[in-house]
Amino acid sequence: AQKVTQAQTEISVVEKEDVTLDCVYETRDTTYYLFWYKQPPSGELVFLIRRNSFDEQNEISGRYSWNFQKSTSSFNFTITASQVVDSAVYFCALSIGIGNTGKLIFGQGTTLQVKP
Amino acid sequence: DAGITQSPRHKVTETGTPVTLRCHQTENHRYMYWYRQDPGHGLRLIHYSYGVKDTDKGEVSDGYSVSRSKTEDFLLTLESATSSQTSVYFCAISEILDQETQYFGPGTRLLVL
């Protein structure tokens, strides 16, 4: 069975702290994709990143970085020098196979609060 | 901006009434999806479509039906709404050159009394 677990329900940090959001996934497929989405208080879902199972390179985008480790089935997301605008619910998701036909499986989400 | 709109954005209805939510896209995307978001569950797939008149069930399809008679519109119908269907409903699309990545509409908040 496929599953995504975000064990951290809520995280609270003070601005400028670094914070890591954990994501652990389960799948028996060898081809899959991992995603992170952000849901700010306004409610929309914003796509942040996609990683495929054949690419374990870490990625950095400004203050955001992602660490993909197949050995531990994890795809963690780190925000460096957090800002109040980073306050949101963050979802990790898993998609299986090539030519996705809608099988996006989401974790429960982690609510991040960044205090000034 | 993936050109997705949802209507209505908010709706209050009574148990037992039919409800139809509309997802409209302007960019001819082939794949469209309906999800519901509930606390503690993240988002869960209800139904999806891979073309006009081609639809399939997702994880939580009971009590829901869908239709896609035009590429641009994907309708989600609750035949007889129940309180357990109170939720936020999101439509999503994926683009033909990047079918794995889904982009979401603004959501519809539905309250069933």
Side-chain angles (χ1 to χ4, degrees):
Chain A
Q2 289 79 31
K3 186 179 178 182
V4 175
T5 301
Q6 294 179 255
Q8 305 151 309
T9 306
E10 293 183 15
I11 302 175
S12 181
V13 300
V14 176
E15 206 169 20
K16 298 184 183 178
E17 284 185 21
D18 298 347
V19 57
T20 296
L21 310 182
D22 297 333
C23 173
V24 174
Y25 63 93
E26 295 175 30
T27 180
R28 293 180 181 176
D29 288 70
T30 56
T31 302
Y32 54 88
Y33 299 84
L34 295 163
F35 304 82
W36 277 95
Y37 286 87
K38 174 182 180 180
Q39 186 175 42
S42 50
E44 72 273 22
L45 280 155
V46 179
F47 165 73
L48 295 178
I49 189 172
R50 181 191 91 179
R51 247 323 173 233
N52 73 53
S53 53
F54 300 110
D55 183 2
E56 283 193 77
Q57 273 195 328
N58 293 331
E59 180 150 344
I60 298 174
S61 176
R63 296 183 297 105
Y64 294 173
S65 62
W66 292 269
N67 180 265
F68 176 28
Q69 290 194 338
K70 288 177 76 171
S71 60
T72 56
S73 297
S74 64
F75 186 44
N76 296 338
F77 173 27
T78 297
I79 302 174
T80 302
S82 60
Q83 300 177 1
V84 172
V85 293
D86 296 325
S87 296
V89 182
Y90 291 87
F91 291 98
C92 180
L94 167 70
S95 174
I96 302 155
I98 300 170
N100 175 33
T101 54
K103 307 300 183 186
L104 251 190
I105 299 162
F106 282 82
Q108 304 92 321
T110 296
T111 300
L112 174 65
Q113 182 181 33
V114 182
K115 299 178 181 177
Chain B
D1 184 0
I4 309 168
T5 57
Q6 292 185 230
S7 58
R9 295 292 314 280
H10 299 87
K11 187 170 182 66
V12 180
T13 191
E14 294 188 350
T15 298
T17 60
V19 176
T20 295
L21 308 183
R22 180 186 184 225
C23 178
H24 179 77
Q25 52 123 338
T26 59
E27 299 184 14
N28 210 33
H29 300 298
R30 179 180 175 186
Y31 293 94
M32 299 183 75
Y33 314 85
W34 277 107
Y35 291 84
R36 60 178 288 173
Q37 181 181 12
D38 304 289
H41 291 279
L43 281 83
R44 292 177 292 175
L45 181 65
I46 305 171
H47 281 280
Y48 62 98
S49 170
Y50 41 96
V52 173
K53 298 187 179 178
D54 289 324
T55 65
D56 206 346
K57 296 179 179 180
E59 177 188 358
V60 290
S61 59
D62 287 349
Y64 301 95
S65 62
V66 289
S67 66
R68 193 165 178 203
S69 58
K70 298 185 291 184
T71 299
E72 59 265 34
D73 288 325
F74 191 31
L75 304 181
L76 177 70
T77 297
L78 292 65
E79 301 290 348
S80 178
T82 67
S83 58
S84 64
Q85 293 176 311
T86 292
S87 188
V88 181
Y89 291 87
F90 285 96
C91 174
I93 59 93
S94 56
E95 301 172 346
I96 196 160
L97 294 180
D98 179 14
Q99 295 174 14
E100 290 75 26
T101 302
Q102 296 182 23
Y103 298 90
F104 287 82
T108 293
R109 194 171 292 272
L110 176 66
L111 175 61
V112 183
L113 300 175

